[in-house]
Amino acid sequence: MREPNAIDFWRGFALVTIFINHIPGNFFERYTFSQYGISDAAELFVFLAGWSIGLATRGRDGLPEPRLTTVLRLLSRTIEVYRAQITIMALALAMIAGCALYLDNPLILEWHNAGGFFADPIQTMVGVVLLTHQLGFFNILPLYVVLIAIAPAVVLIGRVSRALLLALSLSLYGASLVFEWNFPSWPGEGDWFFNPLCWQLLLVLGFLSNEATRESERLQRLWRRLMPLGILIVAVGVVLAVLELRPDPMLAPEPRLVFTFDKTYLSPARLVHFCGMVLAFQGVFALIAPHVGRLARFLSGLGRNSLAVFSMGSLLSLAGQFVRFQTGGGIFVDISVVGSGLIALGFTAWFVEWRSRRPRPTRKAPDAASPADAPSSSPSA
Amino acid sequence: MPAAPSAASSPAPVEALDQSLSPECRVPGSKLYTLARLKAVKAALKEKRPIHVLSIGSSSAGLGASASYPVKLENALEQALPDVQVEVEARGLPGEVASGAGERLRSMVAEMEPDLVVWQVGTNDALARVDIEAFGEALDESVQWVKSHGIDIVLIDPVFTESLADDAYYTQMVRTVQEVARREAVPLVHRYAAMRFLSTQRTTEAHMLGRHFRLNDLGLRCMAEHATRAITLSLLQPESAKEGMKDGIKDPGKGDAVTADHATSDTSKTDPAQTGTPGPSPAPKQP
């Protein structure tokens, strides 16, 4: 098992934030960092996924692994993430339907875009499998499937030329912003909630940051020197978020998405804010880890097993929504919902590691640090 | 409205059903809608250009099946407004109005620049039990924003279902939508009241999952008709007291509408004082 480290810690932090934010209206929602900035945990998660792709596609000696191994490793990870998405979608739809039946309340069928599935299952079933029908809050993994699927290209181009990779990624991002390219939804009209054509940039930035930082001392010093700039950006973000200041999309000049704070297209403002967050908080883990050992271990455990924890978190937050709905919410309900959810997430992480440690001791991945490490050291979603 | 004076007479115990609706969707006009002016749509009609409608909300995902609500809305609007091309774009709106959905609505509106937004509102907020006051404020802000850009908006309040009939929070939610519609003077489709009325009607139709689910299906089927009724009747609203019907829509139904209002107002026995609703007029003809 990996020791607690900054990447796993922050990924676990993002997972907890996403879990809480996916129970809308709950008491703790207003105390997550998403409420105090322009970007949120989704950015952190994708960036760290890119970072870990860089780690996972190198051997223990730090040298890049063979190209074919990288392609196959990422292909296998893509299948894993896709399988997770199909599984949680099936479970979520069943939870919604079951809850509507049990409470005899058809209103629940209209839960965040689920209505389409129940009204028109023939086409929507196809859409679920194609990832073009997404439920609200269940729209992050489809993005990851696409991002991990294109990750072999990211890694291989990056080995040839980092500048080329960045240029390609930026061009695709810029063109998608200007021409409003996105993946379509189907059978519903509209587009994907997380536009992979834009969000790929964060994955690439995460990958490149790791690659560049590992070699260059100078770059590491530069990052540290830019910390005040990061803090300034974060401060501006807090002010804008608290005062709810944001551009009116109808008044924004063309190309509109360059100027608005759009989550789907990862508008530049969100990107800049996120980069500011990275600069501002880059040293925080090293600073606090010695004092919050338990917390660091807990969050790192979640982060090491992010796909399983994210999947369970999605289902638990859906269950939490139903509990809040039926009981009417309130502080005590929120404490028990969020508290038991966090315990369940911790158990999930422990259980995944126990499973990979115990019953299959022979399946030792040759490149990973330890067997327990194998499923999580690959680029995680 | 010409209908007003006679229709304002004492409300009869039983209000006539709106005969222009499909038999299974018929409810009294006062349970169906609150009317208000729709300037942008009128302007589009006057310029004889297609009307762009953005339909958003839980059942608005815009499925391909012809039975789905957005397709039905488009068909019903085109039937009600002959010679007018109506293009309905439909989008689901994930998230709660009280936290972020208003922002997404703004992006969608900016992307499509419709003449009319038909917003089925409140379901997600009710399911999340968000603070009602925060919901009301956010909804009001969003409606104001849409109006401030010269775009019309029609609200549809949440569904009625018996398991929530006595839920104080939920009824308060429905009331909040009504209050916002009244404050902002935008048309409102009383989906809740219409479905509650339909739930009292005797029916032979059964549903595998029980009558609550039957009612829900019926509500979905009827929603397009109900929304269309509210929109077409709102279009007949005078632009101001002075101008009267001069600026009424130039569709063949117009003349009929005025006379039909006169003809039916005596028997319609609606109570416009209550909801600002004219009697059930067959105005723009529906087959």
Side-chain angles (χ1 to χ4, degrees), chain A residues 11 69 71 76 132 138 151 154 158 161 176 179 186 188 199 202 213 226 273 277 340 343 360 367 369:
Chain A
R11 194 188 267 161
T69 314
V71 172
S76 125
T132 57
F138 287 80
V154 171
S161 161
S176 307
F179 302 112
W186 188 86
W199 282 74
L202 262 183
T213 313
L226 285 175
H273 179 259
M277 298 267 283
S340 54
I343 293 170
R360 295 179 294 175
D367 55 318

Side-chain angles (χ1 to χ4, degrees), chain A residues 2-15 44-45 47-49 51-52 55 210 213 274 277-278 281-290 292-293 295-304 306:
Chain A
R2 284 198 293 265
E3 284 300 301
N5 63 66
I7 301 304
D8 287 335
F9 174 83
W10 287 116
R11 194 188 267 161
F13 178 76
L15 283 164
L44 179 57
F45 213 43
F47 180 84
L48 292 176
W51 187 288
S52 10
L55 294 178
N210 172 47
T213 313
F274 176 72
M277 298 267 283
V278 172
F281 289 94
Q282 54 184 322
V284 167
F285 175 76
L287 214 62
I288 62 167
V292 290
L295 182 70
R297 275 197 300 281
F298 175 74
L299 291 180
S300 296
L302 300 187
R304 274 199 304 273
S306 59

Side-chain angles (χ1 to χ4, degrees), chain A residues 117-133:
Chain A
F117 182 85
F118 300 112
D120 188 8
I122 300 171
Q123 297 181 56
T124 312
M125 190 62 226
V126 179
V128 167
V129 171
L130 293 176
L131 308 179
T132 57
H133 179 81

Side-chain angles (χ1 to χ4, degrees), chain B residues 264-275:
Chain B
T264 53
S265 52
D266 288 331
T267 52
S268 64
K269 313 225 170 69
T270 48
D271 184 11
Q274 204 174 22
T275 54

Side-chain angles (χ1 to χ4, degrees), chain B residues 14-210:
Chain B
V14 182
E15 189 184 342
L17 302 178
D18 191 331
Q19 300 296 322
S20 67
L21 301 164
S22 305
E24 75 271 24
C25 299
R26 276 177 199 161
V27 301
S30 62
K31 296 216 167 30
L32 196 52
Y33 40 69
T34 312
L35 300 180
R37 282 174 292 148
L38 293 171
K39 283 190 202 155
V41 179
K42 266 191 188 179
L45 286 170
K46 225 185 282 179
E47 294 163 23
K48 294 199 160 57
R49 55 182 173 83
I51 302 174
H52 292 274
V53 179
L54 171 59
S55 154
I56 46 175
S58 320
S59 315
S60 303
L63 305 165
S66 59
S68 78
Y69 158 72
V71 178
K72 273 193 191 160
L73 181 65
E74 184 168 314
N75 291 340
L77 277 171
E78 286 194 332
Q79 275 175 5
L81 303 167
D83 307 324
V84 178
Q85 203 190 336
V86 180
E87 284 160 15
V88 176
E89 287 253 18
R91 294 285 188 276
L93 187 68
E96 294 68 38
V97 179
S99 62
E103 224 20 65
R104 243 156 278 148
L105 168 82
R106 285 164 171 78
S107 301
M108 282 182 200
V109 169
E111 187 190 325
M112 281 169 242
E113 303 194 16
D115 302 299
L116 171 67
V117 175
V118 180
W119 190 4
Q120 207 188 311
V121 72
T123 307
N124 289 340
D125 289 83
L127 286 174
R129 303 254 178 203
V130 299
D131 178 52
I132 290 196
E133 215 167 289
F135 165 77
E137 275 169 32
L139 178 62
D140 206 331
E141 261 175 44
S142 294
V143 171
Q144 274 176 13
W145 179 86
V146 171
K147 282 171 53 186
S148 75
H149 289 288
I151 295 166
D152 291 334
I153 183 163
V154 172
L155 296 178
I156 302 180
D157 61 24
V159 294
F160 169 79
T161 183
E162 238 149 59
S163 53
L164 294 174
D166 300 322
D167 187 312
Y169 172 88
Y170 193 68
T171 41
Q172 179 68 33
M173 184 70 123
V174 175
R175 216 172 306 134
T176 304
V177 176
Q178 290 170 357
E179 275 161 25
V180 170
R182 190 166 46 235
R183 202 176 320 139
E184 298 302 329
V186 297
L188 172 71
V189 180
H190 298 242
R191 187 185 180 198
Y192 182 90
M195 283 176 73
R196 192 168 58 184
F197 178 83
L198 290 174
S199 75
T200 62
Q201 301 301 95
R202 270 181 302 144
T203 174
T204 53
E205 198 183 344
H207 193 289
M208 214 164 48
L209 304 174

